[in-house]
Amino acid sequence: GAVVSQHPSWVICKSGTSVKIECRSLDFQATTMFWYRQFPKQSLMLMATSNEGSKATYEQGVEKDKFLINHASLTLSTLTVTSAHPEDSSFYICSAVNRLLTYNEQFFGPGTRLTVL
Amino acid sequence: GQNIDQPTEMTATEGAIVQINCTYQTSGFNGLFWYQQHAGEAPTFLSYNVLDGLEEKGRFSSFLSRSKGYSYLLLKELQMKDSASYLCAVRIYGSSNTGKLIFGQGTTLQVKP
């Protein structure tokens, strides 16, 4: 199996509030999940690697205190955008690795569109 | 640094063949992936190459030359539904020994009747 879900699919919030996005692997266990951000007409930019039971590894330039990642179980990772600002408006996509499959490829969730007013 | 280049846009005719090129310069290499992404949706896996050569999968084929840092995705018998963005991604291993994908900017393919 290789189904990944995200919730919510879209969210609108006021500047200064926090937003939590959930990423779930529905039919497999994922020890590793990834969080990406995609701005309009641009490609996916990796934000962080989330490993179950340990701290996330953030890419250069990504503020770990602003983008809080928790991977408390083998099927759930959450991304919390704290004190969101309009420049955080973007399409956030998670992916999960199913290590039982041949290529260890990443399977992507449907994405969450965040709009900060 | 990591650098992956693809053409930004391509146009082709329904029924034709199109080749989307990708060149890369990365610190480490553990395979190259091609994904298809329709607007507002998640990327879907198309192909994977880790050794040199051609991998064929129905109407889609992907080629890799590691010595040249070069790959291409070949789409045959184009259909209107193939209009999408095609993302080239190289997998490298990070400090935590977890493979991560570095994406190119994507190629938007428009298929015309």
Side-chain angles (χ1 to χ4, degrees):
Chain A
V3 181
V4 177
S5 71
Q6 275 185 246
H7 179 81
S9 55
W10 60 270
V11 58
I12 301 173
C13 70
K14 292 183 179 179
S15 186
T17 60
S18 295
V19 174
K20 181 186 282 188
I21 302 170
E22 293 184 348
C23 176
R24 294 181 185 271
S25 55
L26 297 184
D27 51 1
F28 65 100
Q29 293 184 330
T31 54
T32 304
M33 291 183 171
F34 299 88
W35 286 96
Y36 296 86
R37 182 166 49 184
Q38 187 175 32
F39 291 107
K41 297 190 177 181
Q42 294 186 24
S43 192
L44 280 74
M45 294 295 294
L46 179 64
M47 298 174 68
T49 303
S50 171
N51 291 300
E52 187 267 337
S54 64
K55 289 184 179 179
T57 303
Y58 290 82
E59 294 299 300
Q60 195 172 8
V62 178
E63 300 174 57
K64 62 181 180 181
D65 294 331
K66 180 172 182 61
F67 299 99
L68 302 178
I69 292 172
N70 184 282
H71 193 159
S73 78
L74 288 172
T75 59
L76 174 64
S77 176
T78 60
L79 168 69
T80 301
V81 183
T82 62
S83 187
H85 288 94
E87 58 265 30
D88 298 324
S89 298
S90 187
F91 193 48
Y92 291 86
I93 307 177
C94 72
S95 71
V97 176
N98 185 345
R99 299 192 185 280
L100 297 180
L101 296 182
T102 307
Y103 305 137
N104 282 348
E105 66 264 40
Q106 294 182 26
F107 292 91
F108 288 84
T112 297
R113 187 160 301 283
L114 170 64
T115 301
V116 184
L117 302 177
Chain B
Q2 324 288 4
N3 196 42
I4 301 177
D5 284 321
Q6 305 176 233
T8 306
E9 295 179 342
M10 297 184 72
T11 304
T13 305
E14 191 176 16
I17 299 173
V18 71
Q19 177 174 312
I20 303 174
N21 296 323
C22 171
T23 58
Y24 64 90
Q25 289 178 302
T26 56
S27 57
F29 177 85
N30 191 261
L32 188 144
F33 293 80
W34 284 95
Y35 285 86
Q36 181 191 60
Q37 186 180 28
H38 286 96
E41 298 181 10
T44 54
F45 170 75
L46 288 179
S47 70
Y48 170 71
N49 296 71
V50 68
L51 299 176
D52 291 352
L54 188 68
E55 293 284 340
E56 297 189 77
K57 219 178 184 183
R59 295 191 298 114
F60 297 83
S61 304
S62 57
F63 172 83
L64 175 67
S65 168
R66 289 171 297 170
S67 62
K68 295 181 180 178
Y70 168 70
S71 173
Y72 67 72
L73 178 70
L74 194 71
L75 292 77
K76 304 175 187 175
E77 301 169 15
L78 280 173
Q79 301 174 10
M80 298 299 291
K81 67 178 183 179
D82 296 329
S83 293
S85 285
Y86 292 85
L87 309 176
C88 170
V90 173
R91 181 166 62 191
I92 63 174
Y93 273 87
S95 56
S96 62
N97 204 33
T98 301
K100 60 181 183 180
L101 293 179
I102 306 298
F103 281 86
Q105 71 267 33
T107 299
T108 300
L109 173 66
Q110 185 178 17
V111 180
K112 294 185 174 180

